[in-house]
Structures are given as C-alpha cells and as structure tokens.
C-alpha cells in the first residue's frame, strides 16, 4: 500500500508566522508614525530660515542689539500665519524666532534664540516643545 504525503503548513507553523508578523507590525507602526511627524515638522523648521537670515543681518547692522530686530523692523519680515501645510505661525520678538506647527504635528513649537558676538557673529540655540517630542534637533 502506498501512502500519499500531504504537502503544506501545519496550523502551528501558520500561527507562528502570524505572531511574528504581528510583533513586527507593533514595533514598526509607532516608528513609522514618528518618522512621518519628523518629516512634516521639517517644514516648520524650514519656515524659520528666511526670518533667521533677516535677524542675522539686523543683528550685524545694529551691533547685536536684540530689541532692534523684531517683527516688521530692522528688515525682519512681519509675522506669518499658516505659511505652509504644517506651519501655523512664525513670529519674531527681540530677535527670538518662534515657529509653531499645526495640529498635524501636535502643535509643537520651535524656538531659535540668537547670541551675538562681534568676533564670531550670530550663533543660534534651538529650544521648544519639538525637542522633547524628538521632532527637531
């Protein structure tokens, strides 16, 4: 008598594969969501670049006087609202630039604070709620 052999996977093998796929998905999904938020928040960071350049020029022209470089004066552009898909606003006060994201990036803010030296020029320090959320550097 000849035995017929069956080919295929057992139920246990299929359950193991499903469990492995579930574990991988549980790890990958949060990492992907964080990655996409970082990519979206990069638009908020980039929205500060034009204002940053204007503030640097203003500080050099005014010998580092922070109060001279504010919204609408010293060549610093006026505050902007909703200047991008993920940007809620960009504002400047006493040379400090604050960019705020919209709800799609959890309304986190990105703050750039300048320090001026006659020998080295302007250097920037980043702060804001985006640092704690790991959306910006």
């Amino acid at each position: 008598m000849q035995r017929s052999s069956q080919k295929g996977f057992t139920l246990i093998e299929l359950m193991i594969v499903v469990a492995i796929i579930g574990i991988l998905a549980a790890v990958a999904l949060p990492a992907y969501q964080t990655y996409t938020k970082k990519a979206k928040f990069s638009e908020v960071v980039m929205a500060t670049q034009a204002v940053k350049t204007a503030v640097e020029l203003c500080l050099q022209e005014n010998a580092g006087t922070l109060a001279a470089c504010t919204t609408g004066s010293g060549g610093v552009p006026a505050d902007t609202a909703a200047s991008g898909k993920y940007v809620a606003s960009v504002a400047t006060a006493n040379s400090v630039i604050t960019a705020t994201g919209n709800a799609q990036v959890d309304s986190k803010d990105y703050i750039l604070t300048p320090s001026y030296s006659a020998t080295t020029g302007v250097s920037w320090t980043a702060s804001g709620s985006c640092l704690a959320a790991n959306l910006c550097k």
Side-chain angles (χ1 to χ4, degrees):
M1 182 182 327
Q2 187 177 8
R3 283 183 117 189
S4 64
S5 64
Q6 294 182 348
K7 296 182 180 182
F9 297 106
T10 65
L11 182 59
I12 291 291
E13 290 170 331
L14 291 174
M15 289 175 62
I16 290 170
V17 169
V18 169
I20 291 171
I21 292 172
I23 291 169
L24 290 174
V27 171
L29 188 61
Y32 176 73
Q33 289 173 334
T34 302
Y35 172 78
T36 56
K37 275 189 186 176
K38 278 183 178 182
K40 291 174 183 177
F41 199 82
S42 68
E43 184 178 291
V44 178
V45 173
M46 290 306 295
T48 64
Q49 294 306 308
V51 178
K52 187 176 170 183
T53 302
V55 169
E56 287 176 356
L57 290 171
C58 177
L59 286 172
Q60 290 175 0
E61 290 173 357
N62 293 297
T65 305
L66 296 176
C69 307
T70 193
T71 297
S73 67
V76 178
D79 293 347
T80 58
S83 61
K85 186 174 181 181
Y86 304 109
V87 181
S89 66
V90 178
T92 309
N94 295 327
S95 301
V96 177
I97 303 168
T98 304
T100 306
N102 62 17
Q104 293 180 352
V105 288
D106 300 333
S107 302
K108 301 293 183 194
D109 61 352
Y110 178 65
I111 302 168
L112 288 172
T113 306
S115 60
Y116 177 79
S117 168
T119 56
T120 60
V122 180
S123 60
W124 295 92
T125 304
S127 62
S129 59
C130 68
L131 289 174
N134 197 25
L135 295 177
C136 61
K137 296 178 183 179

